[in-house]
PDB file of all heavy atoms in Angstrom:
ATOM      1  N   VAL A   1     -18.873 -48.413  -1.971  1.00  0.00           N
ATOM      2  CA  VAL A   1     -19.451 -47.827  -3.133  1.00  0.00           C
ATOM      3  C   VAL A   1     -18.343 -47.131  -3.986  1.00  0.00           C
ATOM      4  O   VAL A   1     -17.662 -46.244  -3.431  1.00  0.00           O
ATOM      5  CB  VAL A   1     -20.450 -46.650  -2.676  1.00  0.00           C
ATOM      6  CG1 VAL A   1     -21.077 -45.946  -3.948  1.00  0.00           C
ATOM      7  CG2 VAL A   1     -21.606 -47.229  -1.778  1.00  0.00           C
ATOM      8  N   PRO A   2     -18.233 -47.598  -5.230  1.00  0.00           N
ATOM      9  CA  PRO A   2     -17.202 -46.948  -6.036  1.00  0.00           C
ATOM     10  C   PRO A   2     -17.604 -45.477  -6.487  1.00  0.00           C
ATOM     11  O   PRO A   2     -18.699 -45.292  -6.927  1.00  0.00           O
ATOM     12  CB  PRO A   2     -17.112 -47.856  -7.226  1.00  0.00           C
ATOM     13  CG  PRO A   2     -18.394 -48.584  -7.232  1.00  0.00           C
ATOM     14  CD  PRO A   2     -18.874 -48.617  -5.905  1.00  0.00           C
ATOM     15  N   ALA A   3     -16.732 -44.585  -6.200  1.00  0.00           N
ATOM     16  CA  ALA A   3     -16.895 -43.085  -6.603  1.00  0.00           C
ATOM     17  C   ALA A   3     -16.242 -42.760  -7.940  1.00  0.00           C
ATOM     18  O   ALA A   3     -16.736 -42.014  -8.718  1.00  0.00           O
ATOM     19  CB  ALA A   3     -16.644 -42.249  -5.535  1.00  0.00           C
ATOM     20  N   ILE A   4     -15.092 -43.400  -8.169  1.00  0.00           N
ATOM     21  CA  ILE A   4     -14.264 -43.164  -9.296  1.00  0.00           C
ATOM     22  C   ILE A   4     -13.807 -44.537  -9.762  1.00  0.00           C
ATOM     23  O   ILE A   4     -13.317 -45.210  -8.984  1.00  0.00           O
ATOM     24  CB  ILE A   4     -13.016 -42.286  -9.050  1.00  0.00           C
ATOM     25  CG1 ILE A   4     -13.471 -40.866  -8.627  1.00  0.00           C
ATOM     26  CG2 ILE A   4     -12.173 -42.085 -10.295  1.00  0.00           C
ATOM     27  CD1 ILE A   4     -14.162 -40.029  -9.627  1.00  0.00           C
ATOM     28  N   ARG A   5     -13.945 -44.718 -11.096  1.00  0.00           N
ATOM     29  CA  ARG A   5     -13.556 -45.980 -11.679  1.00  0.00           C
ATOM     30  C   ARG A   5     -12.544 -45.813 -12.788  1.00  0.00           C
ATOM     31  O   ARG A   5     -12.922 -45.235 -13.895  1.00  0.00           O
ATOM     32  CB  ARG A   5     -14.801 -46.747 -12.227  1.00  0.00           C
ATOM     33  CG  ARG A   5     -15.823 -47.104 -11.228  1.00  0.00           C
ATOM     34  CD  ARG A   5     -17.027 -47.753 -11.940  1.00  0.00           C
ATOM     35  NE  ARG A   5     -18.188 -47.888 -11.103  1.00  0.00           N
ATOM     36  CZ  ARG A   5     -19.099 -47.073 -10.878  1.00  0.00           C
ATOM     37  NH1 ARG A   5     -19.098 -45.916 -11.567  1.00  0.00           N
ATOM     38  NH2 ARG A   5     -20.150 -47.350 -10.147  1.00  0.00           N
ATOM     39  N   ALA A   6     -11.323 -46.290 -12.638  1.00  0.00           N
ATOM     40  CA  ALA A   6     -10.264 -46.310 -13.700  1.00  0.00           C
ATOM     41  C   ALA A   6     -10.175 -45.062 -14.485  1.00  0.00           C
ATOM     42  O   ALA A   6     -10.051 -44.987 -15.607  1.00  0.00           O
ATOM     43  CB  ALA A   6     -10.556 -47.521 -14.589  1.00  0.00           C
ATOM     44  N   LEU A   7     -10.145 -43.894 -13.664  1.00  0.00           N
ATOM     45  CA  LEU A   7     -10.146 -42.600 -14.371  1.00  0.00           C
ATOM     46  C   LEU A   7      -8.655 -42.241 -14.762  1.00  0.00           C
ATOM     47  O   LEU A   7      -7.800 -42.329 -13.961  1.00  0.00           O
ATOM     48  CB  LEU A   7     -10.708 -41.488 -13.392  1.00  0.00           C
ATOM     49  CG  LEU A   7     -10.624 -40.134 -13.900  1.00  0.00           C
ATOM     50  CD1 LEU A   7     -11.469 -39.908 -15.206  1.00  0.00           C
ATOM     51  CD2 LEU A   7     -11.072 -39.154 -12.847  1.00  0.00           C
ATOM     52  N   SER A   8      -8.570 -41.835 -15.968  1.00  0.00           N
ATOM     53  CA  SER A   8      -7.253 -41.354 -16.485  1.00  0.00           C
ATOM     54  C   SER A   8      -7.504 -39.949 -17.186  1.00  0.00           C
ATOM     55  O   SER A   8      -8.327 -39.861 -17.904  1.00  0.00           O
ATOM     56  CB  SER A   8      -6.653 -42.352 -17.384  1.00  0.00           C
ATOM     57  OG  SER A   8      -6.234 -43.483 -16.795  1.00  0.00           O
ATOM     58  N   LEU A   9      -6.687 -39.072 -16.755  1.00  0.00           N
ATOM     59  CA  LEU A   9      -6.677 -37.776 -17.549  1.00  0.00           C
ATOM     60  C   LEU A   9      -5.329 -37.050 -17.393  1.00  0.00           C
ATOM     61  O   LEU A   9      -4.522 -37.447 -16.502  1.00  0.00           O
ATOM     62  CB  LEU A   9      -7.780 -36.856 -16.943  1.00  0.00           C
ATOM     63  CG  LEU A   9      -7.767 -36.431 -15.484  1.00  0.00           C
ATOM     64  CD1 LEU A   9      -6.857 -35.272 -15.189  1.00  0.00           C
ATOM     65  CD2 LEU A   9      -9.160 -36.066 -14.942  1.00  0.00           C
ATOM     66  N   GLU A  10      -4.981 -36.093 -18.305  1.00  0.00           N
ATOM     67  CA  GLU A  10      -3.734 -35.434 -18.270  1.00  0.00           C
ATOM     68  C   GLU A  10      -3.899 -33.968 -18.534  1.00  0.00           C
ATOM     69  O   GLU A  10      -4.816 -33.480 -19.193  1.00  0.00           O
ATOM     70  CB  GLU A  10      -2.848 -36.044 -19.404  1.00  0.00           C
ATOM     71  CG  GLU A  10      -2.551 -37.492 -19.257  1.00  0.00           C
ATOM     72  CD  GLU A  10      -1.632 -38.010 -20.401  1.00  0.00           C
ATOM     73  OE1 GLU A  10      -1.431 -37.290 -21.516  1.00  0.00           O
ATOM     74  OE2 GLU A  10      -1.037 -39.108 -20.303  1.00  0.00           O
ATOM     75  N   VAL A  11      -3.006 -33.172 -17.835  1.00  0.00           N
ATOM     76  CA  VAL A  11      -2.985 -31.702 -18.029  1.00  0.00           C
ATOM     77  C   VAL A  11      -1.591 -31.290 -18.217  1.00  0.00           C
ATOM     78  O   VAL A  11      -0.730 -31.600 -17.425  1.00  0.00           O
ATOM     79  CB  VAL A  11      -3.575 -31.118 -16.757  1.00  0.00           C
ATOM     80  CG1 VAL A  11      -3.713 -29.486 -16.972  1.00  0.00           C
ATOM     81  CG2 VAL A  11      -4.866 -31.583 -16.273  1.00  0.00           C
ATOM     82  N   ALA A  12      -1.339 -30.751 -19.371  1.00  0.00           N
ATOM     83  CA  ALA A  12       0.030 -30.312 -19.855  1.00  0.00           C
ATOM     84  C   ALA A  12       0.288 -28.944 -19.149  1.00  0.00           C
ATOM     85  O   ALA A  12      -0.632 -28.179 -18.725  1.00  0.00           O
ATOM     86  CB  ALA A  12       0.254 -30.249 -21.254  1.00  0.00           C
ATOM     87  N   ALA A  13       1.585 -28.652 -18.975  1.00  0.00           N
ATOM     88  CA  ALA A  13       1.887 -27.276 -18.411  1.00  0.00           C
ATOM     89  C   ALA A  13       1.449 -26.198 -19.271  1.00  0.00           C
ATOM     90  O   ALA A  13       1.469 -26.217 -20.539  1.00  0.00           O
ATOM     91  CB  ALA A  13       3.428 -27.119 -18.349  1.00  0.00           C
ATOM     92  N   GLY A  14       0.725 -25.228 -18.638  1.00  0.00           N
ATOM     93  CA  GLY A  14       0.188 -24.096 -19.294  1.00  0.00           C
ATOM     94  C   GLY A  14      -1.203 -24.288 -19.835  1.00  0.00           C
ATOM     95  O   GLY A  14      -1.838 -23.335 -20.394  1.00  0.00           O
ATOM     96  N   GLU A  15      -1.882 -25.508 -19.699  1.00  0.00           N
ATOM     97  CA  GLU A  15      -3.123 -25.727 -20.151  1.00  0.00           C
ATOM     98  C   GLU A  15      -4.199 -25.270 -19.067  1.00  0.00           C
ATOM     99  O   GLU A  15      -3.866 -25.241 -17.839  1.00  0.00           O
ATOM    100  CB  GLU A  15      -3.351 -27.172 -20.414  1.00  0.00           C
ATOM    101  CG  GLU A  15      -2.723 -27.674 -21.761  1.00  0.00           C
ATOM    102  CD  GLU A  15      -3.228 -29.088 -22.139  1.00  0.00           C
ATOM    103  OE1 GLU A  15      -3.246 -29.902 -21.365  1.00  0.00           O
ATOM    104  OE2 GLU A  15      -3.533 -29.276 -23.313  1.00  0.00           O
ATOM    105  N   ILE A  16      -5.311 -24.986 -19.675  1.00  0.00           N
ATOM    106  CA  ILE A  16      -6.604 -25.006 -18.717  1.00  0.00           C
ATOM    107  C   ILE A  16      -7.457 -26.178 -19.277  1.00  0.00           C
ATOM    108  O   ILE A  16      -7.872 -26.185 -20.358  1.00  0.00           O
ATOM    109  CB  ILE A  16      -7.405 -23.675 -18.896  1.00  0.00           C
ATOM    110  CG1 ILE A  16      -6.590 -22.543 -18.415  1.00  0.00           C
ATOM    111  CG2 ILE A  16      -8.765 -23.836 -18.297  1.00  0.00           C
ATOM    112  CD1 ILE A  16      -7.186 -21.226 -18.483  1.00  0.00           C
ATOM    113  N   VAL A  17      -7.713 -27.136 -18.393  1.00  0.00           N
ATOM    114  CA  VAL A  17      -8.526 -28.271 -18.804  1.00  0.00           C
ATOM    115  C   VAL A  17      -9.708 -28.368 -17.901  1.00  0.00           C
ATOM    116  O   VAL A  17      -9.682 -28.104 -16.657  1.00  0.00           O
ATOM    117  CB  VAL A  17      -7.693 -29.563 -18.590  1.00  0.00           C
ATOM    118  CG1 VAL A  17      -8.492 -30.742 -18.698  1.00  0.00           C
ATOM    119  CG2 VAL A  17      -6.510 -29.604 -19.477  1.00  0.00           C
ATOM    120  N   GLY A  18     -10.847 -28.612 -18.497  1.00  0.00           N
ATOM    121  CA  GLY A  18     -12.076 -28.694 -17.760  1.00  0.00           C
ATOM    122  C   GLY A  18     -12.506 -30.117 -17.408  1.00  0.00           C
ATOM    123  O   GLY A  18     -12.028 -31.066 -17.981  1.00  0.00           O
ATOM    124  N   LEU A  19     -13.339 -30.128 -16.271  1.00  0.00           N
ATOM    125  CA  LEU A  19     -13.880 -31.451 -15.886  1.00  0.00           C
ATOM    126  C   LEU A  19     -15.386 -31.200 -15.712  1.00  0.00           C
ATOM    127  O   LEU A  19     -15.618 -30.488 -14.695  1.00  0.00           O
ATOM    128  CB  LEU A  19     -13.134 -31.873 -14.661  1.00  0.00           C
ATOM    129  CG  LEU A  19     -13.371 -33.340 -14.157  1.00  0.00           C
ATOM    130  CD1 LEU A  19     -13.149 -34.408 -15.179  1.00  0.00           C
ATOM    131  CD2 LEU A  19     -12.618 -33.636 -12.866  1.00  0.00           C
ATOM    132  N   ILE A  20     -16.206 -31.808 -16.299  1.00  0.00           N
ATOM    133  CA  ILE A  20     -17.668 -31.489 -16.249  1.00  0.00           C
ATOM    134  C   ILE A  20     -18.463 -32.848 -16.052  1.00  0.00           C
ATOM    135  O   ILE A  20     -17.970 -33.904 -16.247  1.00  0.00           O
ATOM    136  CB  ILE A  20     -18.237 -30.736 -17.474  1.00  0.00           C
ATOM    137  CG1 ILE A  20     -18.108 -31.486 -18.695  1.00  0.00           C
ATOM    138  CG2 ILE A  20     -17.537 -29.387 -17.530  1.00  0.00           C
ATOM    139  CD1 ILE A  20     -18.933 -30.890 -19.774  1.00  0.00           C
ATOM    140  N   GLY A  21     -19.743 -32.702 -15.816  1.00  0.00           N
ATOM    141  CA  GLY A  21     -20.605 -33.930 -15.587  1.00  0.00           C
ATOM    142  C   GLY A  21     -21.676 -33.523 -14.593  1.00  0.00           C
ATOM    143  O   GLY A  21     -21.597 -32.580 -13.955  1.00  0.00           O
ATOM    144  N   PRO A  22     -22.676 -34.448 -14.530  1.00  0.00           N
ATOM    145  CA  PRO A  22     -23.795 -34.150 -13.645  1.00  0.00           C
ATOM    146  C   PRO A  22     -23.437 -34.253 -12.271  1.00  0.00           C
ATOM    147  O   PRO A  22     -22.353 -34.738 -11.906  1.00  0.00           O
ATOM    148  CB  PRO A  22     -24.883 -35.248 -14.028  1.00  0.00           C
ATOM    149  CG  PRO A  22     -24.113 -36.302 -14.675  1.00  0.00           C
ATOM    150  CD  PRO A  22     -22.811 -35.561 -15.313  1.00  0.00           C
ATOM    151  N   ASN A  23     -24.279 -33.875 -11.323  1.00  0.00           N
ATOM    152  CA  ASN A  23     -24.097 -33.957  -9.921  1.00  0.00           C
ATOM    153  C   ASN A  23     -23.844 -35.435  -9.602  1.00  0.00           C
ATOM    154  O   ASN A  23     -24.555 -36.308 -10.057  1.00  0.00           O
ATOM    155  CB  ASN A  23     -25.245 -33.521  -9.056  1.00  0.00           C
ATOM    156  CG  ASN A  23     -25.290 -31.846  -9.227  1.00  0.00           C
ATOM    157  OD1 ASN A  23     -24.379 -31.248  -9.334  1.00  0.00           O
ATOM    158  ND2 ASN A  23     -26.485 -31.446  -8.935  1.00  0.00           N
ATOM    159  N   GLY A  24     -22.847 -35.771  -8.692  1.00  0.00           N
ATOM    160  CA  GLY A  24     -22.567 -37.103  -8.358  1.00  0.00           C
ATOM    161  C   GLY A  24     -21.774 -37.896  -9.337  1.00  0.00           C
ATOM    162  O   GLY A  24     -21.432 -39.095  -9.006  1.00  0.00           O
ATOM    163  N   ALA A  25     -21.158 -37.223 -10.311  1.00  0.00           N
ATOM    164  CA  ALA A  25     -20.332 -37.844 -11.348  1.00  0.00           C
ATOM    165  C   ALA A  25     -18.996 -38.188 -10.853  1.00  0.00           C
ATOM    166  O   ALA A  25     -18.254 -39.051 -11.451  1.00  0.00           O
ATOM    167  CB  ALA A  25     -20.272 -36.938 -12.593  1.00  0.00           C
ATOM    168  N   GLY A  26     -18.567 -37.487  -9.785  1.00  0.00           N
ATOM    169  CA  GLY A  26     -17.117 -37.746  -9.306  1.00  0.00           C
ATOM    170  C   GLY A  26     -16.201 -36.651  -9.518  1.00  0.00           C
ATOM    171  O   GLY A  26     -14.966 -36.915  -9.235  1.00  0.00           O
ATOM    172  N   LYS A  27     -16.715 -35.455  -9.952  1.00  0.00           N
ATOM    173  CA  LYS A  27     -15.738 -34.323 -10.143  1.00  0.00           C
ATOM    174  C   LYS A  27     -14.960 -33.951  -8.939  1.00  0.00           C
ATOM    175  O   LYS A  27     -13.737 -33.833  -8.913  1.00  0.00           O
ATOM    176  CB  LYS A  27     -16.543 -33.226 -10.787  1.00  0.00           C
ATOM    177  CG  LYS A  27     -17.361 -33.600 -11.980  1.00  0.00           C
ATOM    178  CD  LYS A  27     -18.089 -32.364 -12.676  1.00  0.00           C
ATOM    179  CE  LYS A  27     -19.065 -31.753 -11.726  1.00  0.00           C
ATOM    180  NZ  LYS A  27     -20.168 -32.592 -11.259  1.00  0.00           N
ATOM    181  N   SER A  28     -15.778 -33.654  -7.911  1.00  0.00           N
ATOM    182  CA  SER A  28     -15.067 -33.143  -6.651  1.00  0.00           C
ATOM    183  C   SER A  28     -14.180 -34.189  -6.040  1.00  0.00           C
ATOM    184  O   SER A  28     -13.131 -33.990  -5.551  1.00  0.00           O
ATOM    185  CB  SER A  28     -16.149 -32.676  -5.608  1.00  0.00           C
ATOM    186  OG  SER A  28     -16.779 -31.633  -6.045  1.00  0.00           O
ATOM    187  N   THR A  29     -14.651 -35.521  -6.066  1.00  0.00           N
ATOM    188  CA  THR A  29     -13.865 -36.573  -5.607  1.00  0.00           C
ATOM    189  C   THR A  29     -12.492 -36.642  -6.274  1.00  0.00           C
ATOM    190  O   THR A  29     -11.489 -36.983  -5.693  1.00  0.00           O
ATOM    191  CB  THR A  29     -14.699 -37.882  -5.727  1.00  0.00           C
ATOM    192  OG1 THR A  29     -15.800 -37.863  -5.003  1.00  0.00           O
ATOM    193  CG2 THR A  29     -13.904 -39.121  -5.314  1.00  0.00           C
ATOM    194  N   THR A  30     -12.560 -36.340  -7.620  1.00  0.00           N
ATOM    195  CA  THR A  30     -11.295 -36.506  -8.436  1.00  0.00           C
ATOM    196  C   THR A  30     -10.440 -35.479  -7.889  1.00  0.00           C
ATOM    197  O   THR A  30      -9.162 -35.785  -7.726  1.00  0.00           O
ATOM    198  CB  THR A  30     -11.660 -36.233  -9.953  1.00  0.00           C
ATOM    199  OG1 THR A  30     -12.470 -37.201 -10.387  1.00  0.00           O
ATOM    200  CG2 THR A  30     -10.298 -36.181 -10.707  1.00  0.00           C
ATOM    201  N   LEU A  31     -10.806 -34.240  -7.680  1.00  0.00           N
ATOM    202  CA  LEU A  31      -9.802 -33.157  -7.124  1.00  0.00           C
ATOM    203  C   LEU A  31      -9.470 -33.522  -5.738  1.00  0.00           C
ATOM    204  O   LEU A  31      -8.200 -33.392  -5.479  1.00  0.00           O
ATOM    205  CB  LEU A  31     -10.596 -31.942  -7.046  1.00  0.00           C
ATOM    206  CG  LEU A  31     -11.075 -31.305  -8.400  1.00  0.00           C
ATOM    207  CD1 LEU A  31     -11.633 -29.811  -8.179  1.00  0.00           C
ATOM    208  CD2 LEU A  31     -10.071 -31.320  -9.461  1.00  0.00           C
ATOM    209  N   HIS A  32     -10.299 -34.061  -4.864  1.00  0.00           N
ATOM    210  CA  HIS A  32      -9.931 -34.397  -3.540  1.00  0.00           C
ATOM    211  C   HIS A  32      -8.879 -35.525  -3.633  1.00  0.00           C
ATOM    212  O   HIS A  32      -7.952 -35.559  -2.707  1.00  0.00           O
ATOM    213  CB  HIS A  32     -11.124 -34.849  -2.782  1.00  0.00           C
ATOM    214  CG  HIS A  32     -12.032 -33.742  -2.516  1.00  0.00           C
ATOM    215  ND1 HIS A  32     -13.382 -33.960  -1.976  1.00  0.00           N
ATOM    216  CD2 HIS A  32     -11.994 -32.384  -2.598  1.00  0.00           C
ATOM    217  CE1 HIS A  32     -13.940 -32.881  -1.761  1.00  0.00           C
ATOM    218  NE2 HIS A  32     -13.123 -31.859  -2.247  1.00  0.00           N
ATOM    219  N   ALA A  33      -8.981 -36.484  -4.527  1.00  0.00           N
ATOM    220  CA  ALA A  33      -7.952 -37.561  -4.624  1.00  0.00           C
ATOM    221  C   ALA A  33      -6.686 -37.017  -5.049  1.00  0.00           C
ATOM    222  O   ALA A  33      -5.609 -37.353  -4.566  1.00  0.00           O
ATOM    223  CB  ALA A  33      -8.422 -38.662  -5.668  1.00  0.00           C
ATOM    224  N   ILE A  34      -6.603 -35.999  -5.981  1.00  0.00           N
ATOM    225  CA  ILE A  34      -5.456 -35.456  -6.494  1.00  0.00           C
ATOM    226  C   ILE A  34      -4.657 -34.787  -5.348  1.00  0.00           C
ATOM    227  O   ILE A  34      -3.388 -34.927  -5.227  1.00  0.00           O
ATOM    228  CB  ILE A  34      -5.692 -34.478  -7.602  1.00  0.00           C
ATOM    229  CG1 ILE A  34      -6.200 -35.192  -8.807  1.00  0.00           C
ATOM    230  CG2 ILE A  34      -4.434 -33.611  -7.900  1.00  0.00           C
ATOM    231  CD1 ILE A  34      -6.702 -34.236  -9.946  1.00  0.00           C
ATOM    232  N   VAL A  35      -5.392 -34.149  -4.463  1.00  0.00           N
ATOM    233  CA  VAL A  35      -4.593 -33.302  -3.404  1.00  0.00           C
ATOM    234  C   VAL A  35      -4.500 -34.239  -2.168  1.00  0.00           C
ATOM    235  O   VAL A  35      -4.163 -33.696  -1.084  1.00  0.00           O
ATOM    236  CB  VAL A  35      -5.324 -32.012  -3.128  1.00  0.00           C
ATOM    237  CG1 VAL A  35      -5.287 -31.131  -4.368  1.00  0.00           C
ATOM    238  CG2 VAL A  35      -6.773 -32.247  -2.513  1.00  0.00           C
ATOM    239  N   GLY A  36      -4.902 -35.535  -2.181  1.00  0.00           N
ATOM    240  CA  GLY A  36      -4.730 -36.341  -1.008  1.00  0.00           C
ATOM    241  C   GLY A  36      -5.692 -36.309   0.070  1.00  0.00           C
ATOM    242  O   GLY A  36      -5.532 -36.835   1.237  1.00  0.00           O
TER     243      GLY A  36
END
């Protein structure tokens, strides 16, 4: 089951960037992938 598909995003130094979407959209999975 694909949880994240071809996702690209950027955060510059000093920024606060939001990530929103409905339940099951893949938000937590994105964070978990970033931290390994």
Side-chain angles (χ1 to χ4, degrees):
V1 179
I4 298 291
R5 302 178 183 89
L7 176 63
S8 295
L9 59 84
E10 296 182 346
V11 188
E15 284 191 316
I16 295 177
V17 171
L19 187 60
I20 64 173
N23 289 335
K27 305 183 298 296
S28 295
T29 297
T30 299
L31 298 189
H32 292 170
I34 290 171
V35 299

